[in-house]
Amino acid sequence: MVIMKIMRRSLGQRAGRTTISILALAFSIALLLVISHIHEAVRSYARQVSSGADLIVGAPSQPAHLVLYSLFRIGPPPPVISWDLYEAIAGLKDVEWAAPVSTNESHLGYTVTGSTARYMETLQLKVLNFIGNGSGTEFRNHRSAFIGARLAGDYQPGETLKIANGFSPSSKDEYQTPVIIQGVLMETGTSLDSNILIPIEGLRKIRKAHGIKTDHLNFILIKLRHRHSLFKVQKELKSTFNTPLEVVIPALELEKLGHYQRMLNNVFMAMSFIIGLLSLMMMYFNLSAGFAERKQEVELLRMVGVSPWQLAVLTLAEPMLQILFALCSGVVLYKVSTLFLGSWIPVVSSIALPFEQLLWLLSLFLLGFLVACLPAWRIYGFSRRT
Amino acid sequence: MTNVQAVAIHELEQSIGETEFLRIPELVIDAGETVCLQGGNGSGKTTLLRTLMGLVRYNSGDLMVLGNDMRKIGTSSLERLRADSIGFIFQHYRLVPYLSAFDNILLPCYFSAKRRYEAERKSETAAKDAIRLIRKLSLTDPSRLSKNAAQYSAGQQQRFAIARALIGKPEMVLADEPASAMDCKGKKAVYQLLQDECRASGATLICTTHDENGIDGFDRYVNMDTLNQARERENRWSL
Ligand SMILES: Nc1ncnc2c1ncn2[C@@H]1O[C@H](COP(=O)(O)OP(=O)(O)OP(=O)(O)O)[C@@H](O)[C@H]1O
Ligand SMILES: [Mg+2]
């Protein structure tokens, strides 16, 4: 059919001029998808992790800081609190379990985290390549250690590590008892990947062997027996002890943070939406710039008997094909980039985008459809008159 | 030929606002007649041909083209009239630049079954008829028609436009300066071909030119400068 030939050739002829706008549109579509993907993934990860612990206790500081550090290792470690506090809290009748976490030791700059298997479960840490059997996150003995994914290149399970007190230790700060690597943790994308996790009981023994009398830790995760006692326990913890404490509900704090994250996300979405709009405008101007030259063609084609609707389809098909092409390559670009993102920020992989996130895309596409219709409609009107 | 008169004009007037472009009291062209419209720049030749095609509307008067009253003709019958019965050569020839020269010539056959049928009847296939026409316009190597139309010289492009107007035996051929881009030899060949083809098929030929001499063989010569009595002539350049 010669109409198809005309369509194809005309598309080919104008392809050079429209490449930029197609690329820009594809880019903005991919950007929209990637941004909402990251947003969704981070949200669902945060929701999962924060559901593991009902309360977090630490020395007085910013609530957001405490939550971000204890769950995602964002920011500096909070000041230490004493071990006695942990024991008192763990003994409360409302508390199902409490997980003490200490991050005061280091090995060659890598943070050493002393905690329990509970903590690892709460953060949903998984172990790859471990010695022994079971789920893998159980410490086999007091001197076992799990290393973060980023250390896996340098160390092997079975090797020993020496740890030291503080982060710029002198030789006298180095503990004599080494720990033995039991397994490698799966990548999380947080700075936990460059951590060494050891059992806190073991850590206390090693400290004692080194002559450190006072046991300290940085924060405590708490799971309650009943969630309805949440606020009661929070109040209790703040008042009963004679040391001032920060007691936060991570779900609430993350909700507040989520508000900012949503705002930020919307800004990014709006930005990529604007890129999309600009590329559609570019597309439109390209189309209208060719309009005068199009008119001549239309007059000629009308003379040989091409009907107005055929001409309208011709003019509609061109931008529609371009937009469809941009859409497809945008989606492909998004799929490819999430593959890369997945290896960069592991929490980002494998989530399904919810429908609301696709609304931006849909509205962009509808606008594109309008942009495509406008010149087709003008051509239709013009060819009706010739 | 069912109509004795191919074109009948009576008191035709065409203007935009105050400016009048065409005022033709009377012009009748018989079917099968070959007419040459001569006149200076801006005398209204192109406007007249476009009016005959229904490309521009006229304000008053009567215009019959191949038995159709152009005032009352509907969109679809006008479409059929143009596609089936009229071969038009634009002053600036106008080819679809991204189609091959060959496709450009065959364009009317793609959209009019009647013209395709006539072309096939004449030379077996429409393609062969296109080659036959282009041969007559002293373009000797028809195998080279596959390049995009925009890549040919102006004279060559005009030849394709002429072949496009003639293919499929239209009832009327309207040629607006069909030889404007031709060399001397080409000019003669163009007028010769137009006349030959139209006489052979009994088609009416209306051909405009501002050449004073060297044009012969037409049944009738009409001077546009005297025919068109439009008041407003400030745009007209006296030569
Ligand atoms: N669409 C239009 N709008 C305004 N003026 C027009 C239009 N069409 C034609 N004219 C005017 O009508 C007059 C006749 O124009 P036309 O193109 O018919 O001349 P022509 O005889 O074909 O001249 P040429 O030999 O240069 O081709 C001119 O003065 C032109 O300015
Ligand atoms: Mg003219």
Side-chain angles (χ1 to χ4, degrees):
Chain A
M1 192 53 195
V2 75
I3 278 284
M4 294 310 275
K5 198 167 182 176
I6 292 177
M7 190 184 297
R8 219 176 49 235
R9 294 291 189 82
S10 142
L11 203 66
Q13 146 142 335
R14 286 173 246 262
R17 249 182 287 168
T18 49
T19 317
I20 294 287
S21 47
I22 294 177
L23 278 181
L25 190 61
F27 177 70
S28 82
I29 286 167
L31 214 57
L32 273 173
L33 287 169
V34 167
I35 288 171
S36 44
H37 186 108
I38 292 178
H39 174 74
E40 268 316 301
V42 167
R43 252 164 57 107
S44 76
Y45 175 69
R47 217 178 295 127
Q48 277 173 30
V49 167
S50 69
S51 69
D54 292 328
L55 287 170
I56 299 171
V57 178
S61 70
Q62 286 295 315
H65 169 206
L66 190 55
V67 170
L68 286 179
Y69 184 78
S70 54
L71 297 182
F72 309 109
R73 290 302 170 91
I74 297 170
V80 293
I81 52 178
S82 78
W83 179 262
D84 303 338
L85 267 171
Y86 160 69
E87 289 191 328
I89 289 170
L92 290 175
K93 71 172 191 331
D94 283 317
V95 173
E96 189 180 325
W97 55 254
V101 182
S102 155
T103 58
N104 256 327
E105 276 78 8
S106 70
H107 163 80
L108 300 179
Y110 296 114
T111 306
V112 174
T113 299
S115 187
T116 59
R118 278 275 188 231
Y119 179 64
M120 295 176 66
E121 259 169 54
T122 308
L123 296 197
Q124 311 199 328
L125 299 179
K126 300 204 174 56
V127 179
L128 294 169
N129 187 20
F130 54 90
I131 304 170
N133 43 27
S135 72
T137 47
E138 296 279 324
F139 292 106
R140 280 207 301 173
N141 57 49
H142 283 170
R143 287 176 55 206
S144 300
F146 290 110
I147 56 172
R150 229 167 291 164
L151 282 82
D154 300 333
Y155 301 99
Q156 298 268 311
E159 284 183 49
T160 57
L161 296 173
K162 280 203 166 173
I163 58 179
N165 192 9
F167 286 87
S168 43
S170 56
S171 58
K172 71 172 168 42
D173 291 327
E174 197 171 88
Y175 301 156
Q176 290 313 302
T177 331
V179 294
I180 304 157
I181 299 172
Q182 184 188 338
V184 179
L185 293 171
M186 210 148 96
E187 221 178 356
T188 62
T190 64
S191 60
L192 263 175
D193 289 346
S194 45
N195 259 236
I196 298 160
L197 272 90
I198 60 173
I200 194 151
E201 289 300 335
L203 181 64
R204 293 178 72 203
K205 287 210 169 76
I206 295 170
R207 279 179 187 164
K208 279 208 186 76
H210 191 70
I212 298 172
K213 293 283 174 317
T214 52
D215 259 334
H216 43 246
L217 40 98
N218 295 72
F219 56 90
I220 307 166
L221 302 186
I222 298 174
K223 184 79 180 172
L224 298 177
R225 282 186 213 284
H226 311 287
R227 262 187 79 81
H228 56 75
S229 53
L230 196 61
F231 294 102
K232 195 193 93 193
V233 176
Q234 185 189 25
K235 221 175 189 172
E236 223 173 79
L237 290 178
K238 274 188 172 168
S239 55
T240 33
F241 302 101
N242 42 16
T243 33
L245 282 179
E246 187 69 73
V247 184
V248 296
I249 301 168
L252 271 185
E253 288 307 315
L254 283 175
E255 194 51 46
K256 282 187 215 159
L257 287 173
H259 177 70
Y260 294 109
Q261 201 220 343
R262 262 193 301 284
M263 258 167 57
L264 200 69
N265 177 66
N266 282 347
V267 168
F268 280 133
M269 292 293 266
M271 262 158 55
S272 36
F273 190 73
I274 287 169
I275 297 177
L277 276 187
L278 286 178
S279 55
L280 282 179
M281 268 164 75
M282 234 151 84
M283 213 172 252
Y284 180 72
F285 285 130
N286 268 335
L287 284 171
S288 354
F291 203 73
E293 132 196 4
R294 261 276 154 92
K295 269 190 172 172
Q296 306 256 313
E297 246 170 76
V298 165
E299 238 181 44
L300 165 66
L301 290 172
R302 286 288 289 148
M303 289 307 104
V304 295
V306 184
S307 64
W309 70 263
Q310 278 175 317
L311 285 164
V313 166
L314 264 183
T315 18
L316 183 66
E318 203 173 304
M320 280 312 278
L321 282 176
Q322 289 169 358
I323 289 169
L324 269 176
F325 180 77
L327 191 76
C328 291
S329 32
V331 170
V332 168
L333 209 62
Y334 155 67
K335 284 286 174 204
V336 171
S337 53
T338 44
L339 282 186
F340 284 106
L341 271 178
S343 58
W344 179 43
I345 319 174
V347 298
V348 155
S349 53
S350 77
I351 53 136
L353 280 178
F355 182 71
E356 317 86 269
Q357 300 287 345
L358 297 178
L359 279 180
W360 291 81
L361 203 66
L362 203 70
S363 50
L364 201 62
F365 190 68
L366 284 179
L367 273 171
F369 186 68
L370 263 179
V371 162
C373 278
L374 236 56
W377 184 65
R378 274 172 71 190
I379 287 282
Y380 182 77
F382 173 74
S383 50
R384 286 289 305 220
R385 275 176 271 119
T386 48
Chain B
M1 287 295 116
T2 46
N3 312 294
V4 186
Q5 294 180 337
V7 175
I9 293 173
H10 181 68
E11 296 292 344
L12 182 78
E13 216 181 294
Q14 203 241 311
S15 57
I16 296 178
E18 287 291 284
T19 326
E20 198 176 39
F21 306 128
L22 277 185
R23 194 166 74 209
I24 300 174
E26 200 75 39
L27 177 67
V28 173
I29 295 170
D30 291 331
E33 207 177 354
T34 57
V35 177
C36 179
L37 288 177
Q38 285 173 310
N41 293 129
S43 58
K45 304 181 295 292
T46 301
T47 311
L48 177 59
L49 290 192
R50 287 170 71 87
T51 311
L52 293 181
M53 285 291 281
L55 258 177
V56 287
R57 295 286 131 111
Y58 53 96
N59 300 75
S60 64
D62 297 310
L63 171 60
M64 301 284 285
V65 177
L66 299 173
N68 295 282
D69 186 340
M70 294 304 274
R71 182 174 296 283
K72 296 196 191 112
I73 194 164
T75 316
S76 60
S77 2
L78 180 62
E79 206 174 295
R80 269 355 301 161
L81 173 73
R82 287 162 173 173
D84 293 339
S85 313
I86 302 180
F88 195 93
I89 303 165
F90 286 93
Q91 188 163 7
H92 300 288
Y93 20 104
R94 287 200 204 170
L95 303 175
V96 183
Y98 42 81
L99 286 183
S100 70
F102 205 59
D103 279 329
N104 265 290
I105 297 170
L106 289 175
L107 215 48
C109 299
Y110 290 128
F111 295 98
S112 163
K114 182 171 172 273
R115 289 182 72 172
R116 161 166 285 243
Y117 169 76
E118 292 291 347
E120 281 167 359
R121 214 173 57 151
K122 178 104 188 168
S123 323
E124 224 173 300
T125 65
K128 278 190 185 158
D129 203 39
I131 291 172
R132 177 186 69 85
L133 286 166
I134 212 69
R135 275 237 165 80
K136 291 206 172 165
L137 286 168
S138 54
L139 203 85
T140 40
D141 189 4
S143 66
R144 289 187 19 220
L145 290 177
S146 52
K147 274 198 295 184
N148 278 2
Q151 291 167 321
Y152 289 91
S153 81
Q156 286 168 328
Q157 290 188 30
Q158 196 161 35
R159 284 174 168 88
F160 303 144
I162 293 164
R164 183 177 63 199
L166 289 175
I167 201 163
K169 209 174 151 191
E171 271 176 69
M172 184 161 82
V173 175
L174 304 177
D176 199 357
E177 313 255 355
S180 59
M182 298 285 168
D183 51 26
C184 254
K185 203 173 112 221
K187 261 189 184 118
K188 276 214 158 54
V190 165
Y191 291 120
Q192 198 60 51
L193 175 72
L194 282 171
Q195 289 171 14
D196 288 352
E197 284 293 316
C198 290
R199 291 207 171 105
S201 62
T204 315
L205 171 65
I206 304 173
C207 181
T208 74
T209 177
H210 46 232
D211 286 338
E212 295 290 323
N213 38 25
I215 298 140
D216 36 40
F218 284 94
D219 296 342
R220 179 145 59 115
Y221 294 85
V222 175
N223 191 334
M224 204 53 201
D225 294 307
T226 49
L227 180 71
N228 185 8
Q229 299 179 350
R231 213 172 347 107
E232 200 65 54
R233 290 296 189 84
E234 88 277 21
N235 286 326
R236 199 116 141 246
W237 295 354
S238 48
L239 292 170

